[in-house]
Amino acid sequence: MTPPRRGRRRLPPVQTGLSGRCPECGEGQLFNGLLRYHESCAACNADFRDEDAGDGPAIFVIFAVGIFIIPMALAFHMLLNPPLAVTFVIWSVIIILSSLWLLRLMRGVMFNIAWQRNAREVRLQDFKDTDSKDGGQGS
Ligand SMILES: [Zn+2]
């Protein structure tokens, strides 16, 4: 069975993702809390239960923090020369908070892009459907 086509309205996925909105209607909230998705949209009832952005958002956050924030922490320590514990405490808080903030943004954007492209996880049932259409002969 083919899942229903999504993303018919073609909302801009980056815009709706950054604002944490539903990819289908752009009105309902995508997130239930900081990082967890709602099970469905309160505005249009789009079902989010089988959707997930996977590990992709975390990769982008790791790159962004590693490229931009870690050098700032190193520069802070080398230029101001505070005790190591001060650098560690200050920049641990900055890194954790910025990572969570970036992760929420990226989860919203990647969820919206996947929704607009009708991307989803491949399941064993998908292959069984293909086999039954060609008489079980395979390719
Ligand atoms: Zn919606």
Side-chain angles (χ1 to χ4, degrees), residues 4-68:
R5 184 84 188 139
R6 303 168 301 185
R8 278 168 263 163
R9 288 188 51 197
R10 292 287 170 210
L11 298 172
V14 174
Q15 185 178 344
T16 53
L18 289 177
S19 61
R21 297 287 176 181
C22 167
E24 191 65 30
C25 68
E27 300 294 327
Q29 291 291 324
L30 181 60
F31 290 102
N32 178 16
L34 182 62
L35 295 173
R36 186 179 315 157
Y37 299 122
H38 276 291
E39 290 189 354
S40 64
C41 175
C44 70
N45 214 19
D47 189 359
F48 301 151
R49 284 177 295 182
D50 289 338
E51 308 302 323
D52 192 14
D55 297 335
I59 298 298
F60 286 106
V61 170
I62 289 168
F63 285 147
V65 169
I67 291 171
F68 297 110

Side-chain angles (χ1 to χ4, degrees), residues 73-117:
L74 293 174
F76 170 86
H77 188 76
M78 289 185 341
L79 295 176
L80 300 179
N81 203 17
L84 188 58
V86 171
T87 300
F88 182 78
V89 168
I90 290 173
W91 287 93
S92 294
V93 171
I94 291 172
I95 289 169
I96 290 170
L97 292 179
S98 62
S99 295
L100 289 173
W101 177 68
L102 287 171
L103 193 56
R104 181 182 169 98
L105 295 179
M106 289 308 300
R107 280 176 62 83
V109 169
M110 293 191 74
F111 186 97
N112 273 263
I113 290 172
W115 185 277
Q116 290 288 333
R117 306 253 183 235

